[in-house]
Amino acid sequence: MIDQLIAGFAEALTFYNVLFITLGLVLGIVIGVIPGLGSVTAMAVLIPVTYYMSPVTAIAFLVGVNKGGTSGGAIPAVLLNSPGTAESAASALDGYPMAKRGEPERAMKFALYSSVTGDTISDMLLIVLVVPFATIALQFGPLEFASVLLFAFTLLAGISSASPVKGLIAIFFGVFLATIGLDPVDSTPRLTFDQIHLYDGLSLIAVAIGSLALSSVAAQLLDMAAKRRGGGVPHEALPPSTNRHLGAVEFFSHWKTIIRSSLFGSGVGMLPGLGVTLAAFLSYGAARKASKDPDSFGKGNPEGIIATEAANSAVVGANLVPALALGIPGNVAAALLISAFIIHGIVPGPFMMTMHGDVVYALFASMLMANFLHLIVGRLGIPVWALVTKVDQAYVLPIVVMLCVTGVYLPSQSLFDVGVMLIFAVLGLVMSRTGFSVVGMVIGFILGGLFETSLRQSLLLYKSDYSVLLESPIALAFLLLAALVILRGMWPAKRQEPVHDAQ
Amino acid sequence: MKFSMKSVAAAVTMAAAAVSGAALPAQAEYPEKPVTMVVPYRAGGSTETMARVLAKALTDQVGQNVIVKTMPGAGGAVGATAVSKAAADGYTILFIASSSVLWPPMTQNVDYTSSSFDFVAQISEYQQALVAKADAPYDTLEELIEYSKTNALNFADQSAMSRTYTNFIAAKEGVAWTGIPTKGGGEMVPFLLGGKVDFAYSGGIHNRYGDDMKVLVSMNSSRLASAPDAPAVSEGYGVAMPSQSMVVVPAGTPEEVIGKLEAALSLAVQDAEFTDLMENKLSFPVVFRPSAEITAAMGETEAALKTVLEATK
């Protein structure tokens, strides 16, 4: 493995790769800083740019974008108390109080260092775990896939919105959307209304950008319009900085929180469908519980930032374990990364390591390089990111709208997809205003097709004989877990704080 | 200003002449502007990769840019529909698998048929076969059929068409196989090698798993170069799956234009970069067949497809 990794570095360490990883990080951070947009939007609009790169450069660039987009959200959380992404929401709880007492740079450094450390730990876990995972992956047939996905749906329903029923409705609406197109078994057109553009179903990029990015832009535009009428609220200016320094010794004195949060992030990242926001909130809660002084959380305790940022960045590497080994995307960002792999002729799954081992190890090397570059770019860029947060949204949002349109149009050069995106922007807006989880819907849509295919493959393969479940311990275990999650949800107990709209 | 108005008017007149199919003064001038080559599949797949390199070689031959435009969807039907409705002037050409020309019109509600196109030339041939795991208890199609008389077998297919052809063999032999749908070779391989299915349809990916898989029968009209001992389906059953990748143009394109494209393609397929890609990266053979030959072959394949569809209804 070490040999292969060294060979991977030899392939990945080229001028172009370093350049494009850096570019990806910068673009990712800038897009992450813009409120409402995170790594998903950043990757979706930038995938077409990668068509003309070599596979390794393309994936390395997107890895940079993903990492930058995930960590960029912390910057406006610290400086404006308005997190750029939902996964950084908890960073605002302690980051903004730190900024108010004159330590914005320290808060941003805590966020950056935690992101990079969490990410590195998660990447190393990925490198160690992906080979054993790929070897058991052959045991994963359609029966096991269907059971794991069912489990993921039940788990996601409980955490994606305040009401598990609304969560479940959103997820299964997504699954329903995934049934549009040619039936996977008989190729009968379903819900296509003789529209040939619907034969392959709705485009993932159109659905994801429309309902997640464009709807959030639309919401902000509506808010701005409302504020203009009301006269607008000037933003509270921060006091001058008094303490900028953060040394390695001081940072690593929080090693317990760093490691715990990284493991939380990695664990959540490996389960399909759960996503980044949940990892951040779980980790924040755990850090607070473990702290000797829980009351200091929310008042500018750097451990709060560490817990959030280390965990949300740790998801990035770990969610590639199921994505690479099984081809099941852990979240929206991983689904986009898989689609980028396929565009470049690499099909994720159990044979990826044997067929494209060189590319995979070059990817791992690129990820480790990206962490190092992330530290440099993020550190040097702190004054620049602060400027980005000051740009008037009136200039930023139209550019974002244009990026959304081009990002959706380019992959298949289809205006139909742009129309789909616009419809989903409206739908996303309506759903988030009525408390239905948009992310739940998108995840349901992503995993729905796989779920239907696996379920129907199983029914055909085993001739609808359910006793076959007893022969598959993996499937049986996940189905029992799913049943357990449902039973526990029905029990009237004190509910966890809901994590609203993830990724 | 006056000058530009004039040239716009001239351009409009010429475009109108081209659209109406009226003979331009000198057909030898084709092409006088860039040609768009539509590829109706996703970017990054083997057909699209092939098309990009072919377009480059074709550019050198015709002296005008050949621009690749991907229009994926519905197994090629989205791009085919668009090109069938384009002007028949040779400036919109289509690089497509013959299955996408024949199958959708016969089985789905689409706006084109095989006669919506004129066939310019075949470029390559997909290496389609029924394959089994190397250690399977059968080495030939006969042994597989014999084995399935006492065992219930499942196979992985990759499209309704591959399932229909496999079921056609089963119907002829009086056995029953259950088709399990998979999405392309990437999903078929773990199904076959993981032992979930007993055999599988392969569109050519088996060439990359030489030691792990064996070819039972070629689904093309002839035996595969990589497995010369396995018979072709046409030998026993008189039918074959559409296997050509080819360049077609909207029906009604002037003969001179087709002739020019055909000649340019016959030279483009000899381009060093193109042959290197085909042989070393994609492991597809370069199979050039001119317009008359491919038109006849398509007629035969279409007749076979009708037989198969009738028999498996």
Side-chain angles (χ1 to χ4, degrees), chain A residues 454-499:
Chain A
S454 309
L455 181 65
R456 296 185 64 180
Q457 283 170 339
S458 316
L459 291 174
L460 280 168
L461 262 179
Y462 305 112
K463 320 263 186 287
S464 305
D465 174 9
Y466 295 99
S467 68
V468 72
L469 280 174
L470 299 175
E471 290 163 33
S472 166
I474 302 177
L476 199 61
F478 277 104
L479 285 179
L480 288 176
L481 279 172
L484 208 67
V485 171
I486 294 173
L487 286 177
R488 195 167 170 272
M490 283 157 63
W491 213 257
K494 66 165 184 167
R495 291 196 41 77
Q496 269 192 350
E497 197 170 313
V499 180

Short mmCIF file of all heavy atoms in Angstrom, two decimals, chain A residues 454-499:
data_model
loop_
_atom_site.label_atom_id
_atom_site.label_comp_id
_atom_site.label_asym_id
_atom_site.label_seq_id
_atom_site.Cartn_x
_atom_site.Cartn_y
_atom_site.Cartn_z
N SER A 454 -31.90 -2.18 -6.99
CA SER A 454 -31.43 -3.27 -6.13
C SER A 454 -32.60 -4.13 -5.66
O SER A 454 -32.51 -5.36 -5.64
CB SER A 454 -30.72 -2.72 -4.89
OG SER A 454 -29.76 -1.80 -5.27
N LEU A 455 -33.68 -3.46 -5.27
CA LEU A 455 -34.84 -4.19 -4.77
C LEU A 455 -35.39 -5.11 -5.86
O LEU A 455 -35.65 -6.30 -5.64
CB LEU A 455 -35.91 -3.20 -4.31
CG LEU A 455 -37.18 -3.82 -3.74
CD1 LEU A 455 -36.86 -4.57 -2.47
CD2 LEU A 455 -38.22 -2.75 -3.47
N ARG A 456 -35.51 -4.57 -7.07
CA ARG A 456 -36.11 -5.37 -8.14
C ARG A 456 -35.15 -6.45 -8.61
O ARG A 456 -35.59 -7.55 -8.97
CB ARG A 456 -36.55 -4.45 -9.27
CG ARG A 456 -37.65 -3.51 -8.77
CD ARG A 456 -38.22 -2.66 -9.84
NE ARG A 456 -38.89 -3.44 -10.88
CZ ARG A 456 -39.48 -2.87 -11.93
NH1 ARG A 456 -39.41 -1.56 -12.08
NH2 ARG A 456 -40.07 -3.61 -12.83
N GLN A 457 -33.86 -6.15 -8.60
CA GLN A 457 -32.88 -7.19 -8.92
C GLN A 457 -32.99 -8.34 -7.92
O GLN A 457 -32.97 -9.51 -8.30
CB GLN A 457 -31.46 -6.62 -8.89
CG GLN A 457 -31.11 -5.80 -10.12
CD GLN A 457 -29.80 -5.05 -9.97
OE1 GLN A 457 -29.33 -4.82 -8.85
NE2 GLN A 457 -29.20 -4.66 -11.08
N SER A 458 -33.11 -7.99 -6.62
CA SER A 458 -33.22 -9.04 -5.59
C SER A 458 -34.45 -9.88 -5.82
O SER A 458 -34.41 -11.11 -5.73
CB SER A 458 -33.30 -8.44 -4.19
OG SER A 458 -32.39 -7.42 -4.03
N LEU A 459 -35.58 -9.21 -6.08
CA LEU A 459 -36.83 -9.96 -6.25
C LEU A 459 -36.73 -10.91 -7.43
O LEU A 459 -37.22 -12.05 -7.38
CB LEU A 459 -38.01 -8.98 -6.43
CG LEU A 459 -38.36 -8.17 -5.19
CD1 LEU A 459 -39.41 -7.13 -5.50
CD2 LEU A 459 -38.83 -9.09 -4.07
N LEU A 460 -36.07 -10.47 -8.51
CA LEU A 460 -35.90 -11.32 -9.68
C LEU A 460 -34.93 -12.47 -9.40
O LEU A 460 -35.19 -13.63 -9.71
CB LEU A 460 -35.37 -10.50 -10.85
CG LEU A 460 -36.37 -9.66 -11.64
CD1 LEU A 460 -35.64 -8.70 -12.56
CD2 LEU A 460 -37.29 -10.57 -12.45
N LEU A 461 -33.79 -12.10 -8.78
CA LEU A 461 -32.73 -13.09 -8.55
C LEU A 461 -33.22 -14.23 -7.67
O LEU A 461 -32.96 -15.39 -7.94
CB LEU A 461 -31.55 -12.43 -7.85
CG LEU A 461 -30.36 -11.99 -8.68
CD1 LEU A 461 -29.32 -11.34 -7.78
CD2 LEU A 461 -29.73 -13.15 -9.42
N TYR A 462 -33.91 -13.88 -6.59
CA TYR A 462 -34.30 -14.90 -5.61
C TYR A 462 -35.75 -15.30 -5.78
O TYR A 462 -36.33 -15.92 -4.90
CB TYR A 462 -34.00 -14.39 -4.20
CG TYR A 462 -32.56 -13.97 -4.07
CD1 TYR A 462 -32.22 -12.64 -3.89
CD2 TYR A 462 -31.54 -14.90 -4.17
CE1 TYR A 462 -30.89 -12.25 -3.82
CE2 TYR A 462 -30.21 -14.53 -4.12
CZ TYR A 462 -29.90 -13.20 -3.93
OH TYR A 462 -28.58 -12.82 -3.88
N LYS A 463 -36.35 -14.92 -6.92
CA LYS A 463 -37.72 -15.32 -7.24
C LYS A 463 -38.67 -15.00 -6.07
O LYS A 463 -39.48 -15.83 -5.68
CB LYS A 463 -37.79 -16.81 -7.57
CG LYS A 463 -36.62 -17.33 -8.41
CD LYS A 463 -36.95 -17.39 -9.89
CE LYS A 463 -35.88 -18.02 -10.73
NZ LYS A 463 -34.67 -17.24 -10.96
N SER A 464 -38.49 -13.81 -5.50
CA SER A 464 -39.34 -13.34 -4.40
C SER A 464 -39.38 -14.28 -3.21
O SER A 464 -40.38 -14.36 -2.50
CB SER A 464 -40.77 -13.06 -4.89
OG SER A 464 -40.75 -12.17 -5.96
N ASP A 465 -38.32 -15.03 -2.98
CA ASP A 465 -38.26 -15.95 -1.85
C ASP A 465 -37.56 -15.24 -0.69
O ASP A 465 -36.35 -15.05 -0.71
CB ASP A 465 -37.49 -17.21 -2.27
CG ASP A 465 -37.26 -18.15 -1.09
OD1 ASP A 465 -37.85 -17.89 -0.01
OD2 ASP A 465 -36.52 -19.12 -1.25
N TYR A 466 -38.34 -14.84 0.35
CA TYR A 466 -37.77 -13.99 1.40
C TYR A 466 -36.83 -14.74 2.33
O TYR A 466 -36.09 -14.15 3.08
CB TYR A 466 -38.89 -13.29 2.19
CG TYR A 466 -39.65 -12.34 1.32
CD1 TYR A 466 -40.87 -12.69 0.76
CD2 TYR A 466 -39.12 -11.09 1.01
CE1 TYR A 466 -41.56 -11.82 -0.07
CE2 TYR A 466 -39.80 -10.22 0.19
CZ TYR A 466 -41.02 -10.59 -0.35
OH TYR A 466 -41.66 -9.72 -1.18
N SER A 467 -36.89 -16.08 2.29
CA SER A 467 -36.03 -16.84 3.20
C SER A 467 -34.55 -16.60 2.88
O SER A 467 -33.67 -16.89 3.69
CB SER A 467 -36.34 -18.33 3.10
OG SER A 467 -35.95 -18.80 1.83
N VAL A 468 -34.27 -16.05 1.70
CA VAL A 468 -32.89 -15.79 1.32
C VAL A 468 -32.25 -14.79 2.27
O VAL A 468 -31.04 -14.76 2.45
CB VAL A 468 -32.83 -15.31 -0.15
CG1 VAL A 468 -33.37 -13.89 -0.26
CG2 VAL A 468 -31.41 -15.36 -0.66
N LEU A 469 -33.09 -14.00 2.95
CA LEU A 469 -32.57 -13.02 3.91
C LEU A 469 -31.74 -13.70 4.99
O LEU A 469 -30.78 -13.15 5.50
CB LEU A 469 -33.71 -12.26 4.56
CG LEU A 469 -34.30 -11.12 3.72
CD1 LEU A 469 -35.52 -10.55 4.41
CD2 LEU A 469 -33.26 -10.05 3.50
N LEU A 470 -32.17 -14.92 5.36
CA LEU A 470 -31.47 -15.63 6.43
C LEU A 470 -30.06 -16.02 6.01
O LEU A 470 -29.20 -16.27 6.84
CB LEU A 470 -32.26 -16.89 6.81
CG LEU A 470 -33.66 -16.59 7.34
CD1 LEU A 470 -34.42 -17.88 7.59
CD2 LEU A 470 -33.59 -15.75 8.61
N GLU A 471 -29.83 -16.07 4.69
CA GLU A 471 -28.50 -16.45 4.22
C GLU A 471 -27.57 -15.26 4.12
O GLU A 471 -26.38 -15.41 3.86
CB GLU A 471 -28.61 -17.12 2.84
CG GLU A 471 -29.25 -18.49 2.90
CD GLU A 471 -29.72 -18.92 1.53
OE1 GLU A 471 -29.08 -18.56 0.53
OE2 GLU A 471 -30.74 -19.63 1.46
N SER A 472 -28.11 -14.05 4.26
CA SER A 472 -27.24 -12.89 4.14
C SER A 472 -27.20 -12.12 5.46
O SER A 472 -28.10 -11.35 5.77
CB SER A 472 -27.75 -11.95 3.05
OG SER A 472 -27.10 -10.71 3.17
N PRO A 473 -26.19 -12.39 6.29
CA PRO A 473 -26.13 -11.70 7.58
C PRO A 473 -26.06 -10.17 7.43
O PRO A 473 -26.63 -9.45 8.25
CB PRO A 473 -24.83 -12.23 8.21
CG PRO A 473 -24.11 -12.96 7.13
CD PRO A 473 -25.08 -13.32 6.08
N ILE A 474 -25.41 -9.69 6.37
CA ILE A 474 -25.29 -8.24 6.19
C ILE A 474 -26.66 -7.62 6.00
O ILE A 474 -27.04 -6.67 6.67
CB ILE A 474 -24.38 -7.91 4.98
CG1 ILE A 474 -23.00 -8.52 5.16
CG2 ILE A 474 -24.28 -6.40 4.78
CD1 ILE A 474 -22.06 -8.31 3.97
N ALA A 475 -27.45 -8.21 5.07
CA ALA A 475 -28.77 -7.67 4.78
C ALA A 475 -29.65 -7.74 6.02
O ALA A 475 -30.35 -6.79 6.37
CB ALA A 475 -29.40 -8.43 3.63
N LEU A 476 -29.61 -8.88 6.70
CA LEU A 476 -30.44 -9.08 7.87
C LEU A 476 -30.13 -8.05 8.95
O LEU A 476 -31.02 -7.42 9.52
CB LEU A 476 -30.21 -10.50 8.41
CG LEU A 476 -31.30 -11.04 9.32
CD1 LEU A 476 -32.63 -11.11 8.57
CD2 LEU A 476 -30.92 -12.42 9.83
N ALA A 477 -28.83 -7.82 9.16
CA ALA A 477 -28.42 -6.87 10.20
C ALA A 477 -28.94 -5.47 9.88
O ALA A 477 -29.49 -4.79 10.76
CB ALA A 477 -26.90 -6.85 10.31
N PHE A 478 -28.81 -5.05 8.64
CA PHE A 478 -29.25 -3.69 8.31
C PHE A 478 -30.77 -3.55 8.36
O PHE A 478 -31.29 -2.52 8.77
CB PHE A 478 -28.71 -3.26 6.95
CG PHE A 478 -27.30 -2.73 7.03
CD1 PHE A 478 -26.23 -3.49 6.63
CD2 PHE A 478 -27.07 -1.45 7.54
CE1 PHE A 478 -24.93 -3.00 6.72
CE2 PHE A 478 -25.79 -0.96 7.64
CZ PHE A 478 -24.71 -1.73 7.23
N LEU A 479 -31.48 -4.61 7.98
CA LEU A 479 -32.94 -4.53 8.06
C LEU A 479 -33.39 -4.45 9.52
O LEU A 479 -34.30 -3.69 9.86
CB LEU A 479 -33.58 -5.74 7.38
CG LEU A 479 -33.53 -5.71 5.85
CD1 LEU A 479 -34.16 -6.97 5.27
CD2 LEU A 479 -34.26 -4.47 5.33
N LEU A 480 -32.72 -5.22 10.40
CA LEU A 480 -33.08 -5.15 11.82
C LEU A 480 -32.77 -3.76 12.38
O LEU A 480 -33.56 -3.20 13.15
CB LEU A 480 -32.32 -6.22 12.61
CG LEU A 480 -32.80 -7.65 12.35
CD1 LEU A 480 -31.93 -8.66 13.11
CD2 LEU A 480 -34.26 -7.80 12.77
N LEU A 481 -31.63 -3.21 11.97
CA LEU A 481 -31.29 -1.86 12.42
C LEU A 481 -32.34 -0.85 11.96
O LEU A 481 -32.75 0.03 12.72
CB LEU A 481 -29.92 -1.45 11.87
CG LEU A 481 -28.71 -1.97 12.61
CD1 LEU A 481 -27.43 -1.66 11.86
CD2 LEU A 481 -28.66 -1.35 14.01
N ALA A 482 -32.80 -1.00 10.72
CA ALA A 482 -33.82 -0.10 10.20
C ALA A 482 -35.09 -0.20 11.04
O ALA A 482 -35.68 0.81 11.42
CB ALA A 482 -34.11 -0.42 8.74
N ALA A 483 -35.48 -1.44 11.36
CA ALA A 483 -36.68 -1.64 12.18
C ALA A 483 -36.50 -0.99 13.56
O ALA A 483 -37.41 -0.35 14.09
CB ALA A 483 -36.95 -3.14 12.33
N LEU A 484 -35.28 -1.12 14.10
CA LEU A 484 -34.97 -0.55 15.41
C LEU A 484 -35.12 0.97 15.38
O LEU A 484 -35.71 1.58 16.28
CB LEU A 484 -33.53 -0.93 15.76
CG LEU A 484 -33.20 -1.02 17.24
CD1 LEU A 484 -33.94 -2.20 17.86
CD2 LEU A 484 -31.69 -1.20 17.41
N VAL A 485 -34.59 1.59 14.32
CA VAL A 485 -34.66 3.05 14.19
C VAL A 485 -36.11 3.50 14.13
O VAL A 485 -36.51 4.47 14.78
CB VAL A 485 -33.90 3.52 12.93
CG1 VAL A 485 -34.15 5.00 12.69
CG2 VAL A 485 -32.41 3.27 13.09
N ILE A 486 -36.95 2.75 13.40
CA ILE A 486 -38.36 3.13 13.29
C ILE A 486 -39.05 3.00 14.65
O ILE A 486 -39.75 3.90 15.10
CB ILE A 486 -39.07 2.26 12.23
CG1 ILE A 486 -38.49 2.57 10.85
CG2 ILE A 486 -40.56 2.51 12.25
CD1 ILE A 486 -38.99 1.66 9.76
N LEU A 487 -38.80 1.87 15.34
CA LEU A 487 -39.42 1.67 16.65
C LEU A 487 -39.02 2.76 17.62
O LEU A 487 -39.83 3.30 18.36
CB LEU A 487 -39.02 0.29 17.21
CG LEU A 487 -39.71 -0.89 16.54
CD1 LEU A 487 -39.18 -2.20 17.10
CD2 LEU A 487 -41.22 -0.79 16.74
N ARG A 488 -37.73 3.12 17.59
CA ARG A 488 -37.24 4.13 18.51
C ARG A 488 -37.88 5.48 18.19
O ARG A 488 -38.20 6.27 19.08
CB ARG A 488 -35.72 4.22 18.39
CG ARG A 488 -35.11 4.98 19.53
CD ARG A 488 -33.62 4.83 19.59
NE ARG A 488 -33.11 5.78 20.55
CZ ARG A 488 -32.77 7.02 20.24
NH1 ARG A 488 -32.88 7.43 19.00
NH2 ARG A 488 -32.33 7.84 21.17
N GLY A 489 -38.09 5.74 16.90
CA GLY A 489 -38.72 6.99 16.50
C GLY A 489 -40.15 7.08 16.98
O GLY A 489 -40.67 8.16 17.24
N MET A 490 -40.82 5.90 17.08
CA MET A 490 -42.22 5.92 17.50
C MET A 490 -42.34 6.10 19.00
O MET A 490 -43.39 6.50 19.50
CB MET A 490 -42.90 4.61 17.08
CG MET A 490 -43.23 4.57 15.59
SD MET A 490 -43.40 2.91 14.95
CE MET A 490 -44.80 2.34 15.87
N TRP A 491 -41.26 5.77 19.73
CA TRP A 491 -41.28 5.90 21.18
C TRP A 491 -41.32 7.39 21.55
O TRP A 491 -40.50 8.15 21.08
CB TRP A 491 -40.01 5.28 21.75
CG TRP A 491 -40.23 4.66 23.09
CD1 TRP A 491 -39.85 5.19 24.28
CD2 TRP A 491 -40.84 3.42 23.36
NE1 TRP A 491 -40.21 4.35 25.29
CE2 TRP A 491 -40.83 3.25 24.75
CE3 TRP A 491 -41.43 2.42 22.57
CZ2 TRP A 491 -41.37 2.12 25.37
CZ3 TRP A 491 -41.96 1.32 23.19
CH2 TRP A 491 -41.93 1.18 24.57
N PRO A 492 -42.24 7.82 22.36
CA PRO A 492 -42.25 9.25 22.71
C PRO A 492 -41.14 9.55 23.71
O PRO A 492 -41.29 9.31 24.91
CB PRO A 492 -43.64 9.46 23.32
CG PRO A 492 -44.09 8.11 23.76
CD PRO A 492 -43.35 7.08 22.97
N ALA A 493 -40.03 10.04 23.21
CA ALA A 493 -38.92 10.38 24.09
C ALA A 493 -38.52 11.82 23.80
O ALA A 493 -39.00 12.42 22.86
CB ALA A 493 -37.74 9.44 23.85
N LYS A 494 -37.61 12.34 24.61
CA LYS A 494 -37.18 13.71 24.32
C LYS A 494 -36.38 13.69 23.03
O LYS A 494 -35.49 12.86 22.84
CB LYS A 494 -36.37 14.28 25.48
CG LYS A 494 -35.04 13.59 25.71
CD LYS A 494 -34.18 14.46 26.62
CE LYS A 494 -32.82 13.78 26.75
NZ LYS A 494 -31.79 14.52 27.29
N ARG A 495 -36.77 14.58 22.14
CA ARG A 495 -36.17 14.54 20.82
C ARG A 495 -34.87 15.32 20.78
O ARG A 495 -34.71 16.31 21.46
CB ARG A 495 -37.13 15.11 19.78
CG ARG A 495 -38.32 14.21 19.56
CD ARG A 495 -39.04 14.59 18.28
NE ARG A 495 -38.09 14.91 17.21
CZ ARG A 495 -37.42 13.99 16.54
NH1 ARG A 495 -37.58 12.73 16.82
NH2 ARG A 495 -36.59 14.35 15.59
N GLN A 496 -33.98 14.82 19.92
CA GLN A 496 -32.74 15.56 19.70
C GLN A 496 -33.06 16.86 18.97
O GLN A 496 -34.04 16.95 18.26
CB GLN A 496 -31.79 14.74 18.83
CG GLN A 496 -30.88 13.88 19.62
CD GLN A 496 -29.80 13.33 18.71
OE1 GLN A 496 -29.87 13.45 17.52
NE2 GLN A 496 -28.80 12.72 19.31
N GLU A 497 -32.19 17.82 19.18
CA GLU A 497 -32.36 19.06 18.43
C GLU A 497 -32.26 18.74 16.93
O GLU A 497 -31.33 18.11 16.49
CB GLU A 497 -31.23 20.03 18.80
CG GLU A 497 -31.54 21.45 18.40
CD GLU A 497 -30.53 22.40 19.01
OE1 GLU A 497 -30.26 22.26 20.23
OE2 GLU A 497 -30.02 23.24 18.28
N PRO A 498 -33.27 19.14 16.16
CA PRO A 498 -33.24 18.76 14.75
C PRO A 498 -32.11 19.49 14.01
O PRO A 498 -31.80 20.63 14.32
CB PRO A 498 -34.60 19.22 14.24
CG PRO A 498 -34.99 20.32 15.16
CD PRO A 498 -34.43 19.97 16.50
N VAL A 499 -31.55 18.80 13.07
CA VAL A 499 -30.53 19.40 12.24
C VAL A 499 -31.22 19.83 10.97
O VAL A 499 -31.58 18.99 10.14
CB VAL A 499 -29.44 18.38 11.91
CG1 VAL A 499 -28.38 19.04 11.06
CG2 VAL A 499 -28.85 17.85 13.19
#
